Amino acid sequence: MLAIDTSGSITQRELNQFQAELNDILYSYPATVHVVYCDSDISETRTVTPDHYPVDLKFVGCGGTDLCPPFDWAVKNVPEAGCIIYLTDLKGDSPETDPGIPTLWVSTTRDRDLPERYQPRFGKIALLE
């Protein structure tokens, strides 16, 4: 599953980076990807496969930031997900408890630039430059 942060703090440049990451996944792996757009709530979901390559992402939502809803959605809708990749600037609250699905936070913000309150409590963080 791929969660896309579409909150108001995400720029067009960042959304373009997120789109490139999704298209790299579709190009490189024969995978079905559940895409979840979220700002403070889930704005839209869609399922894409390599047959949809290339995929265009769009801004939906553009409000505040709550990084929790995609995890609830994943547990309810795709509990067999191999992982959750969350493309975000990490400038919002993340879940307190691990949902039991391996998580990779792909962030446009460096760890050292994140206030302690925005540090995720589980998963690994990778920097998207």
Side-chain angles (χ1 to χ4, degrees), residues 93-111:
D93 295 327
S94 59
E96 292 287 327
T97 58
D98 188 334
I101 302 171
T103 301
L104 177 63
W105 303 90
V106 180
S107 176
T108 58
T109 306
R110 295 180 188 277
D111 287 0

Side-chain angles (χ1 to χ4, degrees), residues 1-4 22 26 33-37 42 44-48 55 57 73:
M1 189 193 98
L2 189 70
I4 306 289
L22 172 57
L26 293 175
V33 180
H34 299 281
V35 179
V36 177
Y37 293 89
I42 293 174
E44 186 176 319
T45 64
R46 66 193 273 207
T47 301
V48 296
V55 172
L57 296 181
W73 186 91

Side-chain angles (χ1 to χ4, degrees), residues 24-105:
D24 283 349
I25 291 167
L26 293 175
Y27 183 79
S28 301
Y29 303 99
T32 297
V33 180
H34 299 281
V35 179
V36 177
Y37 293 89
C38 186
D39 57 2
S40 59
D41 201 3
I42 293 174
S43 303
E44 186 176 319
T45 64
R46 66 193 273 207
T47 301
V48 296
T49 67
D51 293 338
H52 297 103
Y53 177 87
V55 172
D56 290 323
L57 296 181
K58 59 186 174 180
F59 274 111
V60 289
C62 302
T65 308
D66 183 349
L67 302 172
C68 300
F71 292 94
D72 296 334
W73 186 91
V75 168
K76 181 179 178 184
N77 295 285
V78 287
E80 74 286 353
C83 68
I84 295 174
I85 300 172
Y86 210 131
L87 301 170
T88 179
D89 61 7
L90 281 175
K91 295 178 181 172
D93 295 327
S94 59
E96 292 287 327
T97 58
D98 188 334
I101 302 171
T103 301
L104 177 63
W105 303 90

